[in-house]
Amino acid sequence: MSEHNDDEDGSDPLSPANGAIDDTPTVSCSTCGREWDVSYELDELGVGNQALEQFALDHKRHTGHYPDGIATWRAICLHCPEEIERLSERAVSRWAKTHARHTRHALEIRHATGDETTRVEADDT
């Protein structure tokens, strides 16, 4: 007899055949009036932990807006028309520091839902 006590009729409660939990994240967009799961990003694109971010970026690229609950970080140059918008604070900060380093321009970083800004100066890089 095995240490794992499965019923002989195959009624293992952990078996996928017996109601496995589908924990695929879903994304909704009230502007579009739809909801999607991110199985395509997980299975076909293979982006793993980046699935929600990839879906949000693709949605923005194709519709001009982000799905519900997505807020971005923005870096805006105070000297030229360059700016960038990303879902990750780290990505925006890296871009701002690189821009400041190469151009000697100051930039402001802010989150879409907040009023606080972080200033990046060329001397900070």
Side-chain angles (χ1 to χ4, degrees):
M1 183 168 172
S2 71
E3 289 184 27
H4 186 43
N5 198 8
D6 291 340
D7 291 344
E8 290 184 24
D9 64 357
S11 62
D12 180 359
L14 300 178
S15 169
N18 291 311
I21 296 172
D22 180 10
D23 58 355
T24 304
T26 59
V27 179
S28 63
C29 180
S30 56
T31 303
C32 295
R34 293 191 54 201
E35 185 175 279
W36 301 263
D37 67 36
V38 294
S39 58
Y40 175 77
E41 287 75 12
L42 289 168
D43 300 337
E44 299 297 321
L45 298 181
V47 293
N49 291 342
Q50 306 286 314
L52 290 172
E53 182 174 0
Q54 186 64 53
F55 179 89
L57 292 170
D58 288 344
H59 191 75
K60 165 76 168 168
R61 189 174 305 120
H62 294 286
T63 65
H65 62 268
Y66 286 104
D68 297 344
I70 302 296
T72 60
W73 290 89
R74 295 181 182 121
I76 300 166
C77 182
L78 302 176
H79 297 280
C80 72
E82 290 291 324
E83 63 182 70
I84 193 165
E85 181 179 40
R86 295 285 185 263
L87 297 175
S88 160
E89 179 182 16
R90 183 171 164 236
V92 166
S93 179
R94 183 176 56 242
W95 182 88
K97 289 175 182 176
T98 301
H99 184 76
R101 180 175 180 215
H102 288 277
T103 63
R104 311 286 301 156
H105 293 171
L107 296 99
E108 283 187 348
I109 297 175
R110 76 175 48 211
H111 191 263
T113 61
D115 293 329
E116 286 187 36
T117 61
T118 302
R119 191 171 172 107
V120 176
E121 300 280 349
D123 297 337
D124 296 342
T125 60

